[in-house]
DNA sequence: CCGGTTTGTAACCGGTCTATAACTGACGAG
DNA sequence: CTCGTCAGTTATAGACCGGTTACAAACCGG
C-alpha cells in the first residue's frame, strides 16, 4: 500500500513517513507541491497526505489538480484553528483532515479508516514486467512459473524494489522502508534478507538475474 | 431505509433528521444514550448515527452495547480536535466518523456509502462452487452432503471468507468483520474459531481442503 | 434453575522466520 | 603484498506463528 506524503517541513515529513513505514505501508516523500504531483503521476499511490502550507504550490492546489483525474483518498494537514482552511479543503474534495500537532496513533487510525472507506484495505496484486507480487497471498509469480510464498520481510523488500524496478535502491533506504530504521550495524539484516530472497526466487542464486547487487549503491530489481 | 440518529443537542438532532428525511430516509430520533438503545432494539434500524458526547450513556457505550449483538453500520459524530475519541471509536467497531461541523452533502454521501457497503455484504453470494451457506438456518452445505449446523461466529467467518472465496483474507480483517473490534489478545480467538470450524466442515481437519491457511497472510476458502 | 452449547482464555508444541555472529572470498588502496 | 571493506554464505539461538488440547465463563432453551 503506497502512501504519498507532501510537506515542506523536512522533520515532519520524515516523521510521518517513518510512522507509516513502521505500520507496514510504503511511504513516498515529497518536499513541495510540484514534486508531489510528479510523484503522484509516476507512482499512483493509494492515499495522499498533503500539508496545506507549502511554498509554491499549496496543498489545496495539489488536491485540486489531483482531483481532476483521480478519486484517490486525500488527507490534509491543517494548522489548528484555521476554520476556513478546513471548509475549503472539504470543498476541494479532500476526504479528511488532521490538525497539527497530532499523535502517531491518530494519524495511523485515520489512514486506516480512509483506506478502508476507499475499500482499498484489500491490496491488489502489483506487477511489473514478468513479476507479479500478490500482497494478499504473500506470493511472487515470475512469468508463468508457480507462485512462490514469501515471508513478511521478503514481501516488503520486493515491494520496495518493485516500486522502483530497474533503478538501484540504496541499502539505507531499504533498511528504512523494510524495518523502519535501526542502528547503523543493521546492514547484516539486509544482507541476510537478500540472500534468503535470492534462494527463493532466483534460478541460480549465486548469479542473480532478478535481484541484482549494485556494488557500493544497493540493490536493483530487473523485471525482464 | 431506517436510520437512527442519537444526539443530545436538540437542534443538531432535528437538523440531521431533517436532512435524512429530505433525502428519502426514515429518521428515528433519540435524545440520549438509553433511548437510543431502546429504539435500536425496538426498530432495528439499518444504520446508526451516534454523537459521542451524550450525558449519561456516551456514544462509545452505545456503540459497544450495540456491537454485542449487531453488525449494523455505525457512524460516529466527533468534535473537531478530539483525536483520541476517534481512535477509540474505530477500535470499538464504528464504521465511519464525521467531524462536527459537517456539511449536509458530506453527511449524506457518507451515509449512502455506508449503506451501499452494508447492502453489498448482505447481498453477497450465499453460495459459491460446491459450498452453500444458509444464513437463516445457520447451516453450511457442501456438495450433496447433509447440511452442517454452524454457530453465529462460524457462520460469520464463513460468510466473510465465502464473499472473498479463492482469495486470502487477512487476520486483521477477519477480526474486524467477525467480532467488530480488534484488540491485543484477539489472535487467539481467530485461531480457535478456525480450528472449530475445520472440525465441523473438513473431511480431514488436519489437512484442510476448504478452509486453508495462507502463512503470514491469513485464511482462504477454496470452493472446488 | 438446570444442562448443554457456544465462546473466551490459557498453556503447550512444533515448525518457520528473524536477528546476530562468524567465516570466506573479491576487490581496491596504499 | 597486506590490509580493510564489502558482499555472500553458513550457523545458530530465540521469537513468533499456527495448530492443538484443556478448561472456564457466558449464553440459551426448557
Amino acid at each position: 500500500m503506497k502512501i504519498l506524503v507532501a510537506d515542506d517541513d523536512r522533520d515532519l515529513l520524515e516523521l510521518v513517513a517513518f510512522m507509516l513505514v513502521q505500520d507496514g505501508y510504503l511511504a513516498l516523500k515529497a518536499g513541495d507541491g510540484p514534486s508531489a504531483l510528479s510523484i503522484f503521476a509516476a507512482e499512483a499511490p493509494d492515499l495522499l497526505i498533503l500539508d496545506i502550507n507549502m511554498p509554491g504550490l499549496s496543498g489545496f492546489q495539489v488536491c485540486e489538480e489531483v482531483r481532476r483525474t483521480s478519486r484517490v483518498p486525500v488527507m490534509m494537514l491543517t494548522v489548528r484553528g484555521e476554520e476556513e482552511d478546513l471548509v475549503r479543503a472539504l470543498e476541494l474534495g479532500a476526504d479528511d483532515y488532521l490538525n497539527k500537532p497530532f499523535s502517531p496513533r491518530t494519524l495511523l487510525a485515520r489512514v486506516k479508516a480512509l483506506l478502508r472507506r476507499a475499500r482499498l484495505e484489500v491490496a491488489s496484486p502489483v506487477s511489473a514486467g514478468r513479476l507479479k507480487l500478490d500482497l494478499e497471498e504473500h506470493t511472487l509469480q515470475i512469468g508463468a512459473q508457480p507462485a512462490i510464498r514469501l515471508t513478511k520481510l521478503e514481501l516488503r523488500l520486493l515491494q520496495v524494489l518493485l516500486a522502483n524496478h530497474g533503478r538501484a535502491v540504496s541499502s539505507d533506504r531499504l533498511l528504512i522502508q523494510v524495518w523502519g530504521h535501526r542502528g547503523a550495524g543493521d546492514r547484516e539484516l539486509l544482507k541476510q534478507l537478500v540472500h534468503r530472497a535470492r534462494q527463493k526466487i532466483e534460478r541460480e542464486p549465486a548469479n542473480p538475474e532478478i535481484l541484482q547487487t549494485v556494488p557500493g549503491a544497493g540493490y536493483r530489481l530487473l523485471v525482464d
Side-chain angles (χ1 to χ4, degrees), chain A:
Chain A
M1 194 67 58
K2 274 188 284 190
I3 300 180
L4 171 60
V5 189
D7 200 321
D8 61 313
D9 178 342
R10 204 77 210 166
D11 292 338
L12 189 62
L13 179 62
E14 293 295 339
L15 177 65
V16 170
F18 176 71
M19 295 190 295
L20 292 172
V21 168
Q22 282 289 72
D23 218 47
Y25 299 102
L26 178 56
L28 308 169
K29 291 174 279 188
D32 53 48
S35 59
L37 281 178
S38 76
I39 293 176
F40 172 73
E43 300 277 356
D46 302 291
L47 187 141
L48 269 53
I49 300 179
L50 302 176
D51 184 27
I52 285 185
N53 294 310
M54 286 189 292
L57 213 59
S58 77
F60 290 134
Q61 294 166 291
V62 174
C63 180
E64 192 167 18
E65 190 58 32
V66 163
R67 271 286 172 274
R68 301 167 81 91
T69 61
S70 166
R71 286 280 307 133
V72 65
V74 172
M75 174 179 293
M76 292 288 214
L77 300 182
T78 69
V79 181
R80 187 179 290 273
E82 305 282 334
E83 190 73 28
E84 277 309 307
D85 282 1
L86 164 60
V87 173
R88 190 159 159 226
L90 292 176
E91 290 291 334
L92 283 176
D95 298 275
D96 199 1
Y97 62 93
L98 202 51
N99 285 316
K100 292 194 278 192
F102 46 81
S103 73
R105 228 175 110 211
T106 305
L107 174 76
L108 294 174
R110 291 214 177 168
V111 162
K112 201 157 186 178
L114 269 187
L115 288 175
R116 178 151 58 119
R117 191 185 301 151
R119 298 179 113 335
L120 284 170
E121 190 71 350
V122 273
S124 44
V126 182
S127 70
R130 59 183 174 136
L131 298 188
K132 190 169 76 179
L133 204 57
D134 190 320
L135 302 178
E136 276 179 28
E137 304 269 339
H138 284 209
T139 58
L140 171 74
Q141 198 170 8
I142 307 173
Q145 295 173 39
I148 302 166
R149 278 196 37 226
L150 299 174
T151 71
K152 270 198 283 285
L153 291 180
E154 288 159 0
L155 188 76
R156 286 261 277 279
L157 174 73
L158 292 179
Q159 193 185 349
V160 175
L161 289 172
L162 195 64
N164 300 281
H165 65 86
R167 285 168 282 169
V169 181
S170 75
S171 299
D172 277 352
R173 189 164 155 223
L174 286 173
L175 279 176
I176 291 174
Q177 300 266 28
V178 175
W179 283 272
H181 209 215
R182 317 254 313 181
D186 283 337
R187 301 176 68 93
E188 305 295 310
L189 297 182
L190 182 58
K191 225 164 50 171
Q192 270 294 58
L193 184 59
V194 168
H195 180 244
R196 288 195 307 255
R198 291 216 258 241
Q199 297 298 319
K200 284 191 179 178
I201 70 176
E202 293 286 352
R203 171 186 308 277
E204 209 180 332
N207 289 31
E209 295 172 354
I210 301 172
L211 208 179
Q212 297 187 331
T213 301
V214 184
Y219 296 92
R220 169 179 45 192
L221 206 67
L222 281 194
V223 298
D224 42 33

